[in-house]
Amino acid sequence: MNPLIRVNKLCKSFPGVRALHEVHFELMAGEVHALMGENGAGKSTLMKILAGVYTRDTGEMRVDGQPVEFASPRDAQAMGIGIIHQELQLMNHLSVAQNIFIGREPRKGFGLFLDDDKLNAQARDILARMHVNIDPRTAVGTLTVASQQMVEIAKALSFDSRVLIMDEPTSALNDAEIAELFRIIRQLKERGVGIVYISHKMDELKQISDRVTVMRDGEYVATVPTHETSVETIIGMMVGRTLTDIAPAQHTEQKGDIALEVRHLCAGPLVRDVSFELRKGEILGFAGLMGAGRTEVARAVFGADPIESGEVFVKGAKASIRHPCDAVKRGIGYLSEDRKRFGLATGMDVESNIVMSDLGKFLSCNMFLRRAQIRKRALHFINLLAIRTPSATQPVRLLSGGNQQKIVIAKWLERDCDVLFFDEPTRGIDVGAKSEIYKLLRSLAAQGKAIVMISSELPEILRVSDRIVVMCEGRITGELSARDATQERIMHLATQRETLKAA
Ligand SMILES: Nc1ncnc2c1ncn2[C@@H]1O[C@H](COP(=O)(O)OP(=O)(O)OP(=O)(O)O)[C@@H](O)[C@H]1O
Ligand SMILES: [Mg+2]
């Protein structure tokens, strides 16, 4: 049997970047094939070539054994290849059904009018097949990211794809939604669809994939059967070395003065009477299920959302924070979980993004930016965080997803805040870089910074935090010291819902 897809010796360069060099890849019908590699390894680029988004420089590409050339995504779709991109590409103002069938809407009246009823019925049909309960008439912009993800999948399925490429589909999904996605994947697999699955989460690979292909620095490393290969081996192949820093981090027992105190904070339904304190040199983990209100607490303290009641004290002094500028002035930083919307100017280059939050520092008396100084700072962070970019002047939108995330981190480190909120700092970041970021958080704490880390990954919370606060439905349901915390205890608190009291 011919593989659905086979690529051989594929090469692709962008100006200044050799993204792919002689890469091999093969996908069988009914197979879930995971693609692994560090940030910037070339995973998305390879998949975009298969989906007709980019054209290759050299190399061979076959579908069903026949050589193919794709000039556009349309050509790939015609061969049954669908892709769900790492960054969602939906039109927010259009409805779910319009997004699914964009450019292929059914028409009536001799093709003069759109047939909305038929459009919605067809969309409803596809969503029903996926057992997803979304009204096809809803505007996509009003859906949660998870539902938007499902719409992307529906769109890919609407082409009757025989090949479905999923580029980090679970980065914004919670456990229940991931289970739902896996159910859909298994269903497709049974129908003989070949699936390419890209993720940085090792446990997902183990659960869902049949084979794994590992890439490093744009090159093919190996393809192995998932069930016969240990996670350590896969990581070893990805990073080309063994990771030494797997031991739990050192926690600080002695803490400094109180850097931030929040008393009885209320802000909308997901911030109900929240109180906590944070000391210098401490990393406070915020655990909870998605939607527990952790991001909302950070946003309220940072002045990004209005506060209804409650008080915030910074270094003992009461602070009235009505706007992020007030927060930044008082030395509070917030690394958003949504880098595209709040974190980055993706059209600007790497160095401008890094120094953007603190341009004042780089203004010389004649008001010209001190270019050389900016360059020096930018290179410092590119080194520190191992950001993969051909130069400091590369537009951020051309970096890989994980490297964009690192720029957001660099940007806030540059700002030199005393109190830092990190919201899902390692989302989309590869295993090697993750442990670098943990080390970085620890060293920031050792320098006396006060850190709040919000994370949905329990092992990460347990590993990094000195103390853990758990939230459920907008309330703090408990606090654990690093020594007492276990996954079970956290989960117990994270699901401690308020019993509804009669009014
Ligand atoms: N359009 C482009 N122009 C210039 N360089 C690009 C472009 N697209 C990707 N690159 C570069 O090619 C390399 C591979 O990027 P790619 O997005 O394929 O990585 P990835 O493996 O998907 O990483 P991640 O895990 O971070 O998503 C990176 O160095 C990236 O900066
Ligand atoms: Mg990618």
Side-chain angles (χ1 to χ4, degrees):
M1 193 171 65
N2 275 323
L4 275 176
I5 289 184
R6 170 173 277 163
V7 301
N8 203 9
K9 293 200 169 177
L10 201 78
C11 297
K12 174 75 182 175
S13 290
F14 298 107
V17 186
R18 191 188 74 172
L20 298 176
H21 182 68
E22 303 206 336
V23 171
H24 308 285
F25 184 72
E26 187 189 84
L27 180 70
M28 304 302 288
E31 172 187 41
V32 178
H33 197 135
L35 188 56
M36 298 287 298
E38 292 182 289
N39 297 130
K43 304 177 296 291
S44 296
T45 304
L46 176 60
M47 291 305 123
K48 283 179 185 167
I49 291 174
L50 293 183
V53 179
Y54 294 151
T55 50
R56 61 186 186 275
D57 297 339
T58 57
E60 199 187 43
M61 199 160 107
R62 289 171 184 268
V63 175
D64 291 329
Q66 299 302 312
V68 289
E69 298 294 332
F70 296 150
S72 73
R74 218 169 259 269
D75 291 349
Q77 278 159 8
M79 299 290 282
I81 300 175
I83 182 165
I84 299 156
H85 288 283
Q86 190 167 6
E87 312 286 344
L88 296 182
Q89 308 206 320
L90 299 169
M91 311 275 171
N92 283 336
H93 57 286
L94 296 183
S95 76
V96 169
Q98 284 165 335
N99 267 286
I100 294 176
F101 292 106
I102 195 159
R104 304 173 291 148
E105 297 88 348
R107 294 181 169 270
K108 61 184 175 185
F110 307 104
L112 286 175
F113 305 103
L114 291 180
D115 188 343
D116 279 329
D117 294 336
K118 199 165 169 195
L119 178 76
N120 289 326
Q122 285 179 356
R124 198 170 288 123
D125 195 44
I126 293 177
L127 293 166
R129 256 191 285 154
M130 292 167 54
H131 301 279
V132 172
N133 189 16
I134 302 172
D135 185 338
R137 292 164 302 183
T138 326
V140 156
T142 64
L143 297 176
T144 61
V145 180
S147 299
Q148 293 184 1
Q149 196 85 265
M150 294 297 170
V151 174
E152 284 274 20
I153 295 169
K155 183 174 171 183
L157 292 181
S158 73
F159 289 99
D160 268 329
S161 306
R162 292 183 302 149
V163 173
L164 191 56
I165 299 165
M166 300 187 172
D167 197 347
E168 298 195 33
T170 59
S171 55
L173 303 190
N174 66 30
D175 288 347
E177 290 157 347
I178 292 172
E180 186 63 23
L181 178 72
F182 282 6
R183 196 186 52 70
I184 293 170
I185 290 179
R186 293 201 178 95
Q187 200 182 320
L188 292 169
K189 189 176 142 86
E190 245 156 59
R191 294 199 339 231
V193 176
I195 292 159
V196 185
Y197 191 87
I198 301 179
S199 172
H200 290 291
K201 301 183 193 164
M202 292 291 168
D203 51 330
E204 292 184 356
L205 299 194
K206 278 283 174 192
Q207 268 187 61
I208 199 76
S209 74
D210 302 304
R211 287 196 290 169
V212 185
T213 288
V214 179
M215 294 175 64
R216 185 169 69 234
D217 292 337
E219 295 188 16
Y220 172 86
V221 177
T223 302
V224 292
T226 312
H227 295 288
E228 294 164 25
T229 317
S230 70
V231 166
E232 289 70 34
T233 309
I234 296 173
I235 294 178
M237 292 193 290
M238 274 171 61
V239 298
R241 62 192 143 87
T242 38
L243 287 180
T244 45
D245 181 39
I246 302 292
Q250 287 298 307
H251 294 288
T252 34
E253 289 293 328
Q254 298 153 295
K255 289 170 236 147
D257 302 336
I258 293 183
L260 176 77
E261 189 179 352
V262 172
R263 282 191 207 153
H264 307 297
L265 191 70
C266 290
L270 286 176
V271 185
R272 304 315 306 163
D273 195 21
V274 167
S275 302
F276 64 94
E277 53 179 50
L278 174 66
R279 292 177 179 271
K280 284 181 72 174
E282 181 183 43
I283 301 181
L284 178 64
F286 262 63
L289 303 176
M290 263 191 220
R294 298 164 299 162
T295 294
E296 286 72 12
V297 169
R299 286 180 56 86
V301 173
F302 188 62
D305 290 332
I307 290 176
E308 287 156 25
S309 60
E311 292 165 317
V312 174
F313 296 82
V314 180
K315 289 183 211 146
K318 190 167 177 263
S320 125
I321 298 172
R322 298 191 193 296
H323 190 274
C325 293
D326 303 333
V328 170
K329 254 182 236 148
R330 291 190 162 75
I332 302 177
Y334 170 53
L335 278 91
S336 158
E337 59 176 339
D338 186 345
R339 55 182 177 261
K340 212 168 173 188
R341 231 183 311 172
F342 306 110
L344 286 176
T346 49
M348 285 166 72
D349 64 19
V350 169
E351 61 184 15
S352 310
N353 268 284
I354 292 177
V355 302
M356 189 163 50
S357 57
D358 208 10
L359 273 180
K361 204 155 79 185
F362 295 97
L363 288 174
S364 54
C365 32
N366 57 5
M367 293 303 277
F368 276 110
L369 294 173
R370 293 191 200 144
R371 272 279 149 204
Q373 216 176 324
I374 290 181
R375 178 69 42 90
K376 204 169 143 221
R377 290 306 291 165
L379 291 177
H380 166 74
F381 286 111
I382 288 171
N383 253 322
L384 182 73
L385 299 174
I387 297 171
R388 203 185 140 113
T389 173
S391 75
T393 52
Q394 184 81 341
V396 164
R397 78 187 141 78
L398 298 183
L399 299 191
S400 78
N403 283 301
Q404 291 186 8
Q405 175 77 343
K406 291 184 187 174
I407 305 270
V408 181
I409 295 178
K411 177 180 137 180
W412 281 105
L413 292 182
E414 172 58 26
R415 179 79 231 195
D416 204 15
C417 299
D418 302 319
V419 176
L420 277 165
F421 284 82
F422 285 85
D423 199 346
E424 305 283 0
T426 65
R427 179 178 288 173
I429 289 198
D430 68 59
V431 273
K434 259 186 194 167
S435 65
E436 292 303 318
I437 286 174
Y438 300 152
K439 266 194 234 159
L440 184 82
L441 291 179
R442 287 257 53 108
S443 84
L444 289 171
Q447 288 163 34
K449 309 242 181 242
I451 294 172
V452 170
M453 186 183 69
I454 300 172
S455 169
S456 299
E457 289 185 39
L458 287 183
E460 171 167 297
I461 284 264
L462 286 166
R463 178 155 176 215
V464 179
S465 320
D466 297 312
R467 196 156 56 89
I468 298 163
V469 159
V470 188
M471 287 187 73
C472 176
E473 296 181 342
R475 291 171 195 279
I476 290 182
T477 48
E479 192 190 303
L480 300 163
S481 70
R483 205 179 296 124
D484 300 335
T486 59
Q487 299 216 11
E488 292 70 35
R489 285 199 180 138
I490 294 177
M491 280 317 288
H492 178 72
L493 292 168
T495 49
Q496 212 167 76
R497 308 176 61 170
E498 267 249 308
T499 38
L500 288 174
K501 290 172 199 136

